[in-house]
Amino acid sequence: MLEIKNLKASINSRDIIKGLDITIKPGELHAIMGPNGSGKSTLANVLSGKNGYHISGVIQYKGKNLIEIPVDERAQKGIFLAFQYPTEIPGVNTNNFLKTSLNKVRKSKGEKELDTLTFLKIVKEKSAELGIDEKILSRQLNVGFSGGEKKKNEILQMKILDPSFMILDETDSGLDIDALKTIANGVNSSRDKKKSFLVITHYQRLLNYIKPDFVHVLSDGKIVKSGGMELAVELEKTGYKKIK
Amino acid sequence: MINNFKVNSNEIDKFKKISKQEKEFRIKNLNLFNKNGFPNNKSEDWKFSDLRDIVSKNFKKLDVQIINSKSKNTTLIKNFDHNFLVLINGNLSSSNFDFEEKNKIKIKNFYNDNFSDINKYNPLIHLNHALSDTGYSLEIADNYKFKKTLVIYNIFTKELNENILNSRNKIQIGKNSELHTIDLVVNESKNKFMNNVYENVILKENAIYKNICIQNEKSDGFFHKFSKNTLSSKSKYSSFIFPSGLKFNKLDLEFNLEGEGSECNLQAASLLNKNDHQEIKTRINHLVPNCKSYQIVKNVLNTESKGVYQGKIFVKDIAQKTDAYQLSKALLLNDNSEFNSKPELEIYADDVKCSHGSTSGSIDETSIYYLMSRGLNREESVRLLVSGFLNEIIEMIKSNSIKKFVQKKIEEQIHGN
């Protein structure tokens, strides 16, 4: 699914990712943990295609190098980033935006565009499945949403767009236990043999619910240790200092 | 004909059967206009819109003759029931009040019975007072609430070519009465022309007037409108304006809050494209205590467009407990666009609440990134942000059918239809 080789990223001549290798196979869920400032969010941004970084190395996704491909095309190819801080966009109705977005993704796959009624049916289904109040979708995009609502909205968008590679950037930060379960539910119900995840988190808490196949520790722009769930448990006890 | 920005005095002689008083009024205004001609940027009120320069660059001549166009079949809005007036090149050509009690409504062709009002500051008003003989006068009796909206179709025809139209309109709403109007500009003209309107709106005690003005068809029109609005006690005026697509447009709006407890709201949203020049100038005069005014003006500026907002709030010494608010927001899509904002507060009372704000900025790249990460390309993302920016104003319209109608018009414009 995704193969990253010797990835380096810098912004304003500051090196952030300094030679990162990771391979994610279809059906796998990888967790990335690491101290503040280790490059976790930069990795998420670079994978999604955000402008402004100077990048070298290879990001091979379904056999194609992504480096030169712009953000929107990556999204259309099935890459989804759940934002750490979803942007508030005043005046834009969430449903209208999401319908445009879904139709763009469908069109690029050669699928028929959906009319409003069919779209709303899907929204209803997916929000019921996640236990999310679909009313948030008739509001302006993320405007006045609580922290929890914003994160839930990201997961609902993820469910509706049905991508094949999902990046969650600290989606669990700042959530109460019920919201955390909603997020975990969203991830677990999306898991299948063809889909993969990269979950960035600070806490073992989320991983208890979503059971990663691999856990990596990112420090100073490099993966310094990889393992299974036991690594997350160890980190929770000892912190990052010993691993460095 | 206007040559070298001067109107020949024999133009006045063309008005037959006018009273001596009216003739003197016209001559007086003509002389005032001729003294300085079209205003240039040396005048404070025209600082950002040098009309003299604009006129001289765009017009070889300006014909003041009335264009007598025959009434054509007007395509009426089908989205909602409404009464209507049809103005062809400013001239009242037909009216229909089938939804109303007709004895409560007086509609007349151009009519002027006020020959004392000499505005010292605006040469375009002088020009209008000297030459206007088209327009309408609408009077609503006391205690009558309109059942349906009144749509005023402002049609500009193909015959226009280097003409200047001067029209004068009056709307008077009686005590406890209510009127909702939509001013819709329909442009059929292909050539350059000027349209100079003087509007006088009078709200008696407790009257309510809601107006939505939609001008979003691309046109080679150069528009100026001065609107004088007088509010008696407890009357309320709400105006939504969606102007854009004109080569030049200046809206000079004056609100006189003369009765206690009166209130005016002005909401404007514009998308300006290449070579559009638009100015909204307001003056809100708080003349008595306990009045409210609210203004929000939003502009989106595309390549090589220019937008101006000059908003003044004046509070007289006796106008205590005034509550006045003013906000201008501009979104510049390109480095070549220009927006000028000049908020002014002139306050002589000491117990008032007055606030103003003005922001202008470029498109937010974080928002673009967010939208693109969901599969929209850059152009679609920008369009969505622009529509969201303007939508905040449209969302304030209470009637759903009218809101949808306006939304559709604005969306068409955003998509360049």
Side-chain angles (χ1 to χ4, degrees):
Chain A
M1 171 76 68
L2 190 83
E3 208 180 347
I4 301 172
K5 279 184 202 158
N6 195 25
L7 179 69
K8 290 178 184 167
S10 62
I11 191 163
N12 303 329
S13 324
R14 199 161 61 88
D15 296 333
I16 299 177
I17 293 178
K18 302 171 180 173
L20 185 142
D21 298 279
I22 195 169
T23 302
I24 300 173
K25 291 187 179 131
E28 288 179 356
L29 189 150
H30 290 234
I32 291 208
M33 302 181 82
N36 296 325
S38 57
K40 300 189 298 297
S41 285
T42 300
L43 177 62
N45 290 340
V46 167
L47 291 180
S48 78
K50 188 177 183 181
N51 284 336
Y53 294 99
H54 186 265
I55 297 165
S56 68
V58 177
I59 306 171
Q60 197 87 359
Y61 170 72
K62 291 184 175 172
K64 276 185 188 160
N65 193 354
L66 281 186
I67 301 261
E68 297 300 325
I69 296 176
V71 193
D72 53 327
E73 285 177 35
R74 291 191 202 191
Q76 290 165 10
K77 288 181 192 302
I79 295 178
F80 182 89
L81 168 63
F83 279 58
Q84 185 180 2
Y85 304 110
T87 315
E88 295 194 8
I89 305 188
V92 173
N93 175 284
T94 309
N95 259 330
N96 288 349
F97 150 68
L98 210 46
K99 187 180 155 227
T100 314
S101 166
L102 178 59
N103 279 334
K104 284 293 286 191
V105 172
R106 288 180 66 93
K107 209 174 154 187
S108 75
K109 284 190 207 162
E111 291 170 0
K112 221 179 108 195
E113 291 187 32
L114 298 179
D115 57 36
T116 308
L117 277 179
T118 322
F119 169 76
L120 289 176
K121 214 181 123 200
I122 294 179
V123 168
K124 226 181 171 82
E125 251 172 52
K126 302 284 179 190
S127 41
E129 195 182 316
L130 289 176
I132 294 173
D133 190 351
E134 59 177 302
K135 273 188 199 136
I136 66 167
L137 294 177
S138 53
R139 287 162 53 186
Q140 295 178 28
L141 187 52
N142 293 325
V143 177
F145 284 28
S146 70
E149 280 175 330
K150 280 183 185 167
K151 298 294 178 76
K152 283 182 190 174
N153 188 21
E154 292 291 288
I155 296 303
L156 183 54
Q157 288 181 37
M158 183 179 93
K159 290 294 288 185
I160 291 169
L161 295 178
D162 193 27
S164 46
F165 180 64
M166 289 152 263
I167 309 157
L168 276 71
D169 188 6
E170 292 194 31
T171 305
D172 55 332
S173 292
L175 292 186
D176 65 35
I177 194 77
D178 292 333
L180 190 73
K181 281 181 181 165
T182 305
I183 303 298
N185 180 15
V187 172
N188 289 331
S189 64
S190 302
R191 287 183 81 164
D192 69 29
K193 280 181 197 162
K194 287 179 185 166
K195 291 178 179 166
S196 314
F197 290 84
L198 183 69
V199 177
I200 295 168
T201 180
H202 272 299
Y203 310 104
Q204 181 204 332
R205 210 170 56 148
L206 176 68
L207 303 181
N208 288 337
Y209 292 104
I210 61 173
K211 303 273 182 286
D213 300 301
F214 297 93
V215 174
H216 309 277
V217 178
L218 185 67
S219 180
D220 194 25
K222 283 181 177 171
I223 303 277
V224 290
K225 197 167 182 180
S226 297
M229 185 61 190
E230 76 287 345
L231 182 55
V233 177
E234 186 194 333
L235 282 170
E236 194 84 8
K237 281 185 196 151
T238 60
Y240 294 112
K241 277 183 188 157
K242 282 198 174 170
I243 288 168
K244 271 187 193 169
Chain B
M1 195 75 80
I2 302 184
N3 283 318
N4 297 322
F5 314 118
K6 297 261 169 21
V7 185
N8 196 318
S9 59
N10 65 18
E11 296 291 348
I12 305 288
D13 300 334
K14 290 177 187 160
F15 297 105
K16 310 288 180 206
K17 291 180 194 165
I18 57 173
S19 67
K20 198 182 158 208
Q21 202 187 8
E22 182 173 344
K23 189 163 185 174
E24 277 169 7
F25 176 76
R26 287 183 184 273
I27 291 170
K28 203 167 167 184
N29 277 289
L30 185 103
N31 291 337
L32 280 165
F33 175 79
N34 279 347
K35 214 167 129 188
N36 296 309
F38 286 104
N40 63 12
N41 58 9
K42 288 189 182 112
S43 149
E44 187 63 25
D45 284 349
W46 296 85
K47 197 173 160 182
F48 304 108
S49 303
D50 191 330
L51 189 61
R52 180 188 296 237
D53 184 54
I54 291 166
V55 170
S56 64
K57 275 184 183 147
N58 287 285
F59 292 93
K60 286 190 204 88
K61 56 164 188 137
L62 267 171
D63 198 338
V64 300
Q65 290 289 18
I66 309 304
I67 301 295
N68 283 318
S69 288
K70 277 180 195 147
S71 151
K72 289 174 201 158
N73 288 335
T74 312
T75 318
L76 299 176
I77 299 168
K78 294 188 181 73
N79 310 49
F80 46 88
D81 289 339
H82 60 277
N83 306 287
F84 63 83
L85 296 181
V86 178
L87 306 175
I88 296 182
N89 300 330
N91 198 25
L92 177 64
S93 105
S94 63
S95 63
N96 182 308
F97 291 97
D98 283 355
F99 294 100
E100 311 300 329
E101 292 171 33
K102 297 201 174 72
N103 60 343
K104 305 287 185 188
I105 300 157
K106 256 193 231 165
I107 177 80
K108 278 186 272 189
N109 245 312
F110 169 78
Y111 180 71
N112 185 11
D113 56 1
N114 182 356
F115 303 113
S116 59
D117 190 16
I118 302 279
N119 182 301
K120 292 178 196 128
Y121 307 105
N122 189 338
L124 272 291
I125 302 177
H126 298 146
L127 184 64
N128 183 288
H129 286 346
L131 300 174
S132 61
D133 66 346
T134 56
Y136 65 89
S137 160
L138 173 68
E139 287 183 24
I140 317 295
D142 292 346
N143 306 310
Y144 183 72
K145 286 187 169 33
F146 260 61
K147 293 175 182 69
K148 300 283 176 193
T149 298
L150 169 66
V151 178
I152 303 161
Y153 295 94
N154 294 272
I155 300 169
F156 297 97
T157 64
K158 286 177 189 148
E159 288 85 356
L160 295 172
N161 188 8
E162 305 217 316
N163 302 90
I164 177 162
L165 308 169
N166 291 284
S167 54
R168 182 182 177 106
N169 304 324
K170 179 184 174 184
I171 294 177
Q172 180 171 308
I173 305 172
K175 284 179 195 169
N176 308 315
S177 293
E178 182 167 349
L179 173 68
H180 297 195
T181 60
I182 295 178
D183 260 289
L184 185 70
V185 174
V186 182
N187 182 56
E188 293 167 1
S189 78
K190 296 270 185 291
N191 304 310
K192 288 177 182 173
F193 69 98
M194 283 188 86
N195 184 40
N196 183 23
V197 178
Y198 178 86
E199 180 184 77
N200 187 14
V201 176
I202 299 157
L203 271 63
K204 299 287 185 189
E205 283 162 42
N206 229 5
I208 295 175
Y209 180 42
K210 292 186 180 176
N211 168 251
I212 297 176
C213 187
I214 307 167
Q215 145 58 55
N216 71 343
E217 290 189 7
K218 195 85 193 151
S219 133
D220 278 347
F222 293 68
F223 282 33
H224 170 266
K225 174 163 134 176
F226 176 77
S227 177
K228 183 182 174 181
N229 305 282
T230 308
L231 284 81
S232 304
S233 65
K234 289 181 186 158
S235 63
K236 286 193 172 76
Y237 185 170
S238 159
S239 180
F240 282 93
I241 46 180
F242 303 103
S244 41
L246 292 167
K247 278 264 180 297
F248 175 82
N249 190 22
K250 177 159 176 165
L251 293 166
D252 188 344
L253 314 170
E254 179 185 300
F255 293 86
N256 296 302
L257 299 161
E258 290 185 354
E260 272 204 53
S262 56
E263 188 181 324
C264 77
N265 293 294
L266 177 74
Q267 297 95 177
S270 289
L271 169 61
L272 304 179
N273 281 310
K274 198 173 178 175
N275 297 329
D276 291 356
H277 178 132
Q278 179 166 284
E279 170 167 345
I280 296 176
K281 177 177 171 286
T282 63
R283 184 184 168 106
I284 317 268
N285 292 317
H286 282 263
L287 305 171
V288 292
N290 295 310
C291 294
K292 258 179 150 177
S293 68
Y294 174 90
Q295 297 177 73
I296 178 161
V297 174
K298 293 186 114 182
N299 278 284
V300 177
L301 295 107
N302 224 327
T303 321
E304 291 170 55
S305 63
K306 182 173 174 177
V308 183
Y309 172 62
Q310 300 200 71
K312 180 163 185 168
I313 299 170
F314 172 87
V315 182
K316 204 177 166 184
D317 53 0
I318 59 159
Q320 302 294 1
K321 305 281 180 199
T322 285
D323 183 355
Y325 177 84
Q326 179 197 88
L327 179 68
S328 159
K329 280 188 173 183
L331 179 60
L332 287 88
L333 301 182
N334 197 290
D335 290 345
N336 299 329
S337 50
E338 178 184 331
F339 187 72
N340 300 282
S341 170
K342 196 179 95 180
E344 277 180 285
L345 300 177
E346 191 177 334
I347 303 169
Y348 296 100
D350 53 13
D351 184 15
V352 300
K353 201 167 100 187
C354 287
S355 53
H356 68 90
S358 176
T359 62
S360 51
S362 53
I363 206 111
D364 176 35
E365 285 301 325
T366 314
S367 303
I368 295 278
Y369 169 47
Y370 186 74
L371 297 173
M372 287 183 75
S373 81
R374 300 299 184 251
L376 280 70
N377 64 32
R378 189 177 174 89
E379 204 181 314
E380 289 160 336
S381 304
V382 169
R383 275 207 297 259
L384 202 59
L385 290 177
V386 166
S387 128
F389 182 81
L390 299 174
N391 225 340
E392 280 192 300
I393 301 285
I394 305 171
E395 282 297 328
M396 295 177 185
I397 298 174
K398 287 204 178 99
S399 154
N400 262 331
S401 55
I402 293 174
K403 190 193 289 179
K404 276 189 186 150
F405 177 76
V406 175
Q407 240 151 9
K408 196 168 164 265
K409 286 264 171 200
I410 303 289
E411 281 304 317
E412 279 168 9
Q413 204 199 348
I414 292 171
H415 287 84
N417 294 338

